[in-house]
Structure formats: C-alpha cells, structure tokens
Amino acid sequence: MKITRSTTLAALAALGLTLGTAACSSGTAAENDTAAAGTGGETVKMCVLVSDATSSEALGFKDYYTQYIQQNFDVEFVYSEELADADAEKRAMESFIANNCRAIISFASADRPAQIEMAESAGIYYSVATGTLTDEQYEMFKDYQYYVGAIGPSLDVELQAGYDMAKHFVDEGDTRFAIYGAGIPYYIDMHIYRTAGMLAALAEDPSTTYGGAKEFGDILGVIMRDGTIKVDQFASDVYELTGYQEVWDFDDSAWQANLAAVVSSKPDVILAAGTGFAVFGAAVSGTDIAIGDIDAYTDENAKAMEAGSLSYLAGKFTSSTGPIFAATLSAVQGHPIRGEGDTALALEQGYWVATSIDQFNEFLAADTIESPVYDQAALEPFIGTDVSYDDFAAFVSKYSFDELAG
C-alpha cells in the first residue's frame, strides 16, 4: 500500500546560507590528460543542487563526483551552496541556467516540481540523485523531454528499510525503543516512510498499535495527519516507546532538553530515520543504548560502529550516484535513455546493511573515491551509446554489495 502527499514539501532544515555557486577545483579529464568517456573534446558543465553541504554523506557524494568522475570523464561540476528551502533552490536554478549549465543533478527536494519545470523551460537536462519522485509527480513529468529521471530509494524501499531495522532489534530481543524521526515535521517523505516501517514492525505483535492502527497504511495515515510521532499514541503489552525526538537544532534549549530526556528514558535502542549518530552519538556515549540508523557508509559512522554506539546501519554507498550521472551525461551527448513510450527513468536503488564493524569495514573498503564500485569501466557502456532502457535498468538493479563487490 502506498500513500503519498499531494502538497509541496517544506524546507528540510533551518540552515539558511546565502546562495552562490562554486566550480570544483579538481581538473577535468581533458585538463588532466586522463582517459575519458568521449564527449568530442567538449567539457560538459554539470551543475549540482544540494540541501546538505556538510554531512559526511554529502561530502562523500561530492568527492566521488569532483575527485573521481571529473577526472575520468570530460565534465566540470559546479555545486550550489547549501539550499535551505524552495526559494533558495529557485535562485540556484536561475544561477545555473544563467551560467550555461548543460545539465543539473539534484540532491535538493524542497520543490522538485519547480526545479523540473525550470529546467524544461530552459532546455537543460535535469535528474534526481539518491531519491525518486512520488507516483503523482512522475506521472506529471515523465514525458518531459529534458527530465532524465531519478535513481534512488523509492518510498517502498524506505518503508522496507525502516521495517527491517526495527525487526532486526525485535529479533535480538529488545523491547524498549525510542525513535528519532528526523524531518517528519517537515513532511519529508523518506523519513515518514522509514518511521512508519519501524512502527509497522513493532505492530506485528498482537497487542501493539500506534494511534489505534496496526497496518502500515493506517500507521502512515496517522503520522501524515499529525506531522509528528506522539509517544502516548503507542500502546503495547510487549514493547515500550520511551521517547521521541525530531529534526535537529543544537542551539535550541528545549530541543536539547528533549534529547536528554530521550536518553534518560533508557531505551534499548534509538531507531533513527536518518543522521542518528550525528544527533545522539555524544549523548549515548558510555551508555548501553544502541543506535540503529538509515544513513551512509562514512568514516564517522565507522567510528561509531567500532565504538559500539551504532549497531545497525542501512546505508547508501558513496558511488551510488554513478548511474544517474551516466544517464545524465548520455542525454547531454544526444543519447537519452528512455523507457517505454519515451518516458523518463524511475529506477530503484536500495541500501547496504551492516550489523558489525567487520561487515561495515568490508563495505567501506569496497567503494572508495579512488576505486569506486561504479568506476569508469562500469559506467562507460551507458554513456553516449544507444543502450536500451531494459539493459540500463538491469544494470541499476544490481546494486547489492554481493552483486557489485562481493
């Protein structure tokens, strides 16, 4: 069952910075005289929208593009500064269009429909990385000539990620849970679906309900209605929801007090819809509280798992943005990869799941900036050629660790 919002999402975080663009300093393949996918000697200016410019996950994605892709393909990446809301995204789009970007890859989701409309009007190829459109949005834009498409976790994948994480700890015998809902009050779909998946896993126990609901779709409806998680709406004879926190604002005293209250409630596990260790890592240090998170394979999370604070991670791997880059560059070169009926891409990618530091390190070592799983040899067959949609979809679908690096 899938429920989607029809209204435009609000901003992710109150981290407003002034808009600007910055070309990355690493040389292009042509400048560095390295082997590159053929662009006829032309360096393609590819611009990137980001709502997060500082997390280790965001920096990993950027390093892959600017340090590996840029040196192995004839492209130049130009990044926006951190975009706090839809207005900032619009100004960045206007700047990219005025500065002759040939394509735009978006990691910013405050108002994707507006981004797509602006790119289409300007005749600039546009794609979504590490995410997907809602079903309603895809139906609206799938026929646009310059909308390349989206590759990333779908909302169904997000639901499953939250469910699997909570089920893991249930199977471990844990009964006391706290939840970090991240961007739920801003109606960030992926955070809502992950959290609904967590609660659905707990509600498999006959005595457990959330807001009187047991099924995923009904639980999702309660969260959508309330725009938050209410601890007093959780009922169970087996499990206890000891506390709840959302978004992050370390400068707010009330927010800090609630974070401390969540830790003081002594849950076995804090189930996080994202950035769990970044928010709770210091607070749970020296306690027996574990963190389960849906985030990324970063050095920061590796240290957390090694220290025992992070015991479960469903994470994106750094070069997971390789396929959407390949599809976007191929479109610029006159070879767009389109689905049946000349429609845009809508392809799923999931997470790699680690439950031990040995497993985490194996994943981290397999996908580095210097030697990514989506390297030049893997991507080149899909750039500037008349590859079929089915062949490209099959390539993207093989994203598991075992398929890419095992």
Side-chain angles (χ1 to χ4, degrees):
M1 182 180 295
K2 179 178 285 188
I3 298 174
T4 55
R5 282 173 55 79
S6 59
T7 56
T8 302
L9 302 183
L12 173 62
L15 295 172
L17 298 174
T18 56
L19 174 67
T21 59
C24 297
S25 58
S26 297
T28 66
E31 291 168 346
N32 293 329
D33 196 25
T34 55
T39 57
E42 175 195 13
T43 296
V44 174
K45 182 185 287 187
M46 198 169 285
C47 297
V48 184
L49 296 170
V50 292
S51 59
D52 171 10
T54 58
S55 73
S56 54
E57 176 189 43
L59 293 174
F61 290 146
K62 185 174 182 178
D63 286 347
Y64 172 59
Y65 274 178
T66 61
Q67 295 181 26
Y68 182 84
I69 292 293
Q70 189 165 287
Q71 294 193 21
N72 288 279
F73 296 88
D74 282 338
V75 294
E76 174 194 15
F77 287 101
V78 178
Y79 270 69
S80 75
E81 293 187 353
E82 191 162 277
L83 306 172
D85 53 31
D87 287 340
E89 290 178 358
K90 181 181 178 182
R91 292 193 295 272
M93 288 291 296
E94 291 171 343
S95 175
F96 286 164
I97 293 167
N99 283 281
N100 301 314
C101 290
R102 298 287 304 281
I104 295 170
I105 297 177
S106 178
F107 291 80
S109 61
D111 193 350
R112 279 188 172 134
Q115 296 171 25
I116 294 172
E117 293 284 8
M118 292 179 73
E120 187 75 10
S121 296
I124 295 174
Y125 286 103
Y126 172 95
S127 57
V128 174
T130 69
T132 57
L133 301 184
T134 64
D135 290 348
E136 292 85 352
Q137 289 171 344
Y138 180 72
E139 286 301 314
M140 184 179 299
F141 300 117
K142 66 181 182 181
D143 297 322
Y144 277 28
Q145 178 182 354
Y146 292 96
Y147 177 48
V148 175
I151 299 176
S154 67
L155 294 180
D156 287 338
V157 170
E158 302 291 11
L159 158 69
Q160 192 67 44
Y163 173 91
D164 289 344
M165 182 168 67
K167 190 69 166 55
H168 166 81
F169 289 107
V170 167
D171 291 344
E172 291 284 306
D174 295 307
T175 58
R176 292 172 56 81
F177 297 95
I179 288 178
Y180 176 62
I184 286 179
Y186 294 103
Y187 285 96
I188 302 300
D189 282 338
M190 65 179 179
H191 294 157
I192 292 173
Y193 272 68
R194 291 171 183 174
T195 304
M198 299 172 200
L199 291 168
L202 300 180
E204 287 186 336
D205 166 72
S207 70
T208 302
T209 59
Y210 179 72
K214 289 193 66 67
E215 301 299 327
F216 162 72
D218 296 330
I219 293 171
L220 186 63
V222 174
I223 300 174
M224 288 288 191
R225 180 195 66 199
D226 295 341
T228 189
I229 297 296
K230 298 180 178 179
V231 173
D232 62 4
Q233 293 293 303
F234 185 85
S236 176
D237 294 337
V238 175
Y239 306 118
E240 186 174 353
L241 185 60
T242 66
Y244 173 71
Q245 179 71 309
E246 59 192 13
V247 292
W248 83 15
D249 187 354
F250 287 112
D251 295 327
D252 183 81
S253 59
W255 184 90
Q256 289 187 343
N258 190 62
L259 183 144
V262 170
V263 175
S264 296
S265 71
K266 298 181 179 179
D268 298 325
V269 183
I270 297 172
L271 300 170
T275 62
F277 180 74
V279 174
F280 280 95
V284 304
S285 179
T287 74
D288 294 328
I289 300 172
I291 296 173
D293 204 0
I294 303 172
D295 197 57
Y297 284 89
T298 65
D299 291 337
E300 183 181 56
N301 281 332
K303 293 176 183 175
M305 187 160 276
E306 188 162 20
S309 299
L310 182 65
S311 59
Y312 181 105
L313 179 75
K316 300 184 182 84
F317 51 98
T318 299
S319 75
S320 60
T321 56
I324 194 63
F325 158 76
T328 305
L329 181 58
S330 193
V332 172
Q333 294 180 0
H335 300 272
I337 304 169
R338 305 287 283 184
E340 184 177 357
D342 193 23
T343 53
L345 301 172
L347 299 174
E348 288 186 356
Q349 260 182 342
Y351 297 98
W352 291 357
V353 175
T355 56
S356 71
I357 185 59
D358 289 343
Q359 195 176 23
F360 191 109
N361 285 335
E362 184 181 21
F363 291 173
L364 199 62
D367 187 54
T368 65
I369 300 302
E370 296 77 19
S371 182
V373 291
Y374 286 125
D375 60 10
Q376 184 179 5
L379 299 179
E380 275 189 335
F382 303 99
I383 299 173
T385 62
D386 290 324
V387 65
S388 72
Y389 177 91
D390 288 345
D391 286 346
F392 186 69
F395 167 67
V396 173
S397 71
K398 297 175 181 176
Y399 60 76
S400 72
F401 172 78
D402 288 341
E403 289 169 314
L404 289 173

